[in-house]
DNA sequence: CCATTTTGAATGAGCGTTCAGCAAATATGT
DNA sequence: ACATATTTGCTGAACGCTCATTCAAAATGG
């Protein structure tokens, strides 16, 4: 027989990850959680599942368990598994964009400081978590055969890369460098994505070391603008 | 009713990709294909399926169809789906290693020429195909949650990166550069993997442009050793 | 003929989706 | 205030489909 729970005991049924718990505590608990709160809770549980089991083994049952909710819940709040996954990717893309947008604001108006800030915030502890990198990577793996994912992953850096390109142009003028800006931008952005990939793979690579490698790149590309400690 | 075919008509049943066809023609055709030939044919069909449908939608039925063989065939030549996929990854890893190994041989004993050759062969038309990049990426996406894949993907660059690191050290001594070799190597390798990722995503990026971006990196990192046309 | 390779129907497990029903929250009537 | 009706959020059993795996039978080569 199913053991019926008194109210506000949902969080005790199974250990939730901190992220899911936090999402669930957005407003009131249990039954009164608003629609939006519940959606976010399920999205966080989806990220957990993607990170733990990979894309192909992520099941709705696992997501529901991760959120300590019942089997049918996802089809109630999202329409289908497909839509849950798209919402999850959208959520991560938004968070990513908001993060570098804010970093750019705070960086002031010097091009060198802006570039430094953009590179740094890719390795920020809020964004650059094992679980989130793993989730990104899971989507990348499926992106090629799914236009929707591809669009969302790609949209991630349409604006992003434009800004990078503009900064590379500015710094080239300021410093009299010889590189070709398009290629430089591409190689730099690719390097950071590659570092994410390696971070995700494990290998004992840490966020700090990855960031240091990216900085090393900045140093050789823009020697007149940066030292290892930051923009001159 | 199933229309039974006369012998040697297998290739007509369904259009095979050039790669699968070539694998099937390794020795004699049809029934007489040796065990090893048939395995290779199935592996090529697996790569096709991974590229076309992604990891999570790759089915044994699709692989069998792609090879124009019957449903049960994979479980006869490989023991299970899992083992087919591992064999496929192994196959690609071996091919990749053989490719850069050969390139290194031909490059002579100058460090600059060797580094140039290593970077170039990552963008070789034999290795850097849409379908193979897509297959690599499919495995990357699942690697984090599957130790076996992770080991095979990682083994790809244990030796590879050691060589890179040694070359970076040598060039630093020769050219009197100021960079820190570990970080430099990491950023360079990551950049090439990131470029692969972007090639796979589409975006109108071509092999040539990606290679040019990698070269741009070499130029800023080792200005005394390279021009855009090659090592000095 | 015997051994090997291949076939394709059958099997069964796993999973997404559906939906009738329950319980909490809220609205309505008295 | 209280009782009753309605809405909303959630549950979990049931359904049907897809797919890996199995295997008996057929085809082929030697």
């Amino acid at each position: 027989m199913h053991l019926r729970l008194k109210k506000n005991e949902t969080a005790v049924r199974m250990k939730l990850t901190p992220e899911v718990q936090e999402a669930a505590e957005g407003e009131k608990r249990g039954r009164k959680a608003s629609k939006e709160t519940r959606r976010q809770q399920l999205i966080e549980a989806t990220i957990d599942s993607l990170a733990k089991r990979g894309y192909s083994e992520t099941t709705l049952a696992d997501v529901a368990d991760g959120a300590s909710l019942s089997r049918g819940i996802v089809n109630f709040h999202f329409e289908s598994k497909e839509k849950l996954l798209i919402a999850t990717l959208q959520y991560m893309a938004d968070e990513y964009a908001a993060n570098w947008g804010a970093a750019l604001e705070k960086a002031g108006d010097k091009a060198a400081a802006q570039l430094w800030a953009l590179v740094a915030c890719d390795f920020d502890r809020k964004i650059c978590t094992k679980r989130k990198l793993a989730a990104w990577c899971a989507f990348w793996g499926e992106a090629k055969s799914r236009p929707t994912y591809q669009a969302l992953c790609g949209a991630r850096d349409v604006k992003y890369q434009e800004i990078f390109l503009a900064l590379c142009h500015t710094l080239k003028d300021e410093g009299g460098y010889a590189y070709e800006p398009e290629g430089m931008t591409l190689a730099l952005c690719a390097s950071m994505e590659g570092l994410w990939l390696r971070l995700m793979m494990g290998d004992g690579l840490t966020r700090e070391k990855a960031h240091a490698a990216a900085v090393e790149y900045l140093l050789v590309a823009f020697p007149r603008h940066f030292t290892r400690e930051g923009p001159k």
Side-chain angles (χ1 to χ4, degrees), chain A residues 140 188-200 205:
Chain A
W140 287 345
L188 180 52
C189 289
S191 189
M192 295 199 298
E193 279 165 27
L195 285 169
W196 271 25
L197 208 65
R198 297 204 163 206
L199 273 171
M200 193 224 57
L205 180 60

Side-chain angles (χ1 to χ4, degrees), chain A residues 155-227:
Chain A
R156 183 191 126 159
D157 28 35
V158 170
K159 291 209 167 183
Y160 187 68
Q161 197 164 338
E162 274 173 19
I163 292 176
F164 252 95
L165 183 55
L167 290 174
C168 276
H169 266 115
T170 307
L171 292 189
K172 182 183 177 181
D173 291 346
E174 287 180 12
Y177 304 127
Y179 59 72
E180 196 260 313
E182 277 79 15
M184 195 79 270
T185 303
L186 189 54
L188 180 52
C189 289
S191 189
M192 295 199 298
E193 279 165 27
L195 285 169
W196 271 25
L197 208 65
R198 297 204 163 206
L199 273 171
M200 193 224 57
M201 289 282 194
D203 292 347
L205 180 60
T206 63
R207 241 188 33 244
E208 289 80 7
K209 276 198 234 171
H211 185 205
V215 165
E216 210 60 33
Y217 191 147
L218 290 180
L219 290 190
V220 300
F222 315 99
R224 279 193 261 283
H225 286 92
F226 298 113
T227 70

Side-chain angles (χ1 to χ4, degrees), chain A residues 135-146:
Chain A
W136 273 113
C137 198
F139 282 114
W140 287 345
E142 293 291 312
K144 138 206 72 331
S145 48
R146 312 222 180 184

Side-chain angles (χ1 to χ4, degrees), chain A residues 25 43-45 55-56 83 93 102 207 228:
Chain A
E25 282 165 3
I43 284 174
E44 289 291 348
Y55 186 98
S56 72
K83 291 195 175 153
R207 241 188 33 244
R228 281 200 180 80

Side-chain angles (χ1 to χ4, degrees), chain A residues 46-100:
Chain A
T46 305
I47 296 176
D48 281 339
S49 187
L50 286 170
K52 183 164 43 100
R53 328 210 320 170
Y55 186 98
S56 72
E57 305 238 88
T58 286
T59 65
L60 291 186
D62 194 51
V63 171
D65 286 354
S68 284
L69 294 168
S70 69
R71 294 288 137 105
I73 196 70
V74 166
N75 292 101
F76 180 76
H77 285 282
F78 300 82
E79 202 170 313
S80 65
K81 185 187 185 185
E82 174 77 4
K83 291 195 175 153
L84 167 68
L85 289 167
I86 289 170
T88 302
L89 182 50
Q90 183 71 256
Y91 176 83
M92 292 200 302
D94 289 347
E95 185 187 34
Y96 180 78
N99 192 56
W100 68 253

